[in-house]
Each structure stands twice: as structure tokens, then as C-alpha cells.
Amino acid sequence: MSDADPDPGLEAPDVVVDALGRLCPLPIIDLARRFGEVPVDGTVALLADDPAAAADVPAWCRLRGQRFLGARDLPTGRAYLIRRTR
């Protein structure tokens, strides 16, 4: 988990982007392509098993001015939760 909400798993995301099995930079590209579907103040969950996503997702959020809520482990990979701020 990261700096943010107590448990990013408590909230059902508005959009789920399944990037399991895809390697860098594809999970971030998939996230960027689908991000417009998320309403402002909504959330998106990026499912990824690429180890680079642990650094890439928070960096993408900082660069895009979005809020990284944290991550939780899945049976395969992790779910990264992001809140759309604008």
C-alpha cells in the first residue's frame, strides 16, 4: 500500500483495466488509453503483474496530476487504484 487511503480495496472502481501478462510500457499505455472513461472523482483499477508497474503507476499519476490511492496484492499480480482528479 502507498501514501493515501487506508485500504484501496474498499472502493469498487469505475473502470478496470486488465493489463495482466503485459510488460512495460504496455500497462501504462493501456491505463492512459482507458483513463478518459473514468469520470472526474471516479477511480480506475489497473491490474498488472509487471514488476515495473509498482514504480510506473505512481510516477504516471504524479506526471498527470492524478491521485494514486495505493495497491493491493491479487492472486496473480497487483491492483493499482487511481482517482481521477481532473
Side-chain angles (χ1 to χ4, degrees):
M1 205 129 62
S2 175
D3 58 287
D5 295 10
D7 183 355
L10 292 178
E11 183 176 343
D14 295 290
V15 174
V16 176
V17 178
D18 186 349
L20 293 169
R22 295 169 62 81
L23 297 177
C24 183
L26 297 177
I28 295 300
I29 291 170
D30 293 347
L31 172 63
R33 283 185 178 151
R34 301 273 317 272
F35 203 70
E37 299 173 26
V38 181
V40 173
D41 248 358
T43 57
V44 60
L46 173 67
L47 312 182
D49 51 6
D50 179 13
D56 290 349
V57 174
W60 184 86
C61 290
R62 281 191 304 277
L63 289 170
R64 302 289 180 208
Q66 305 304 327
R67 185 166 178 220
F68 176 60
L69 299 176
R72 65 181 171 90
D73 291 331
L74 301 173
T76 56
R78 302 188 86 197
Y80 298 91
L81 194 64
I82 301 127
R83 181 169 310 283
R84 182 171 181 182
T85 60
R86 51 187 167 139

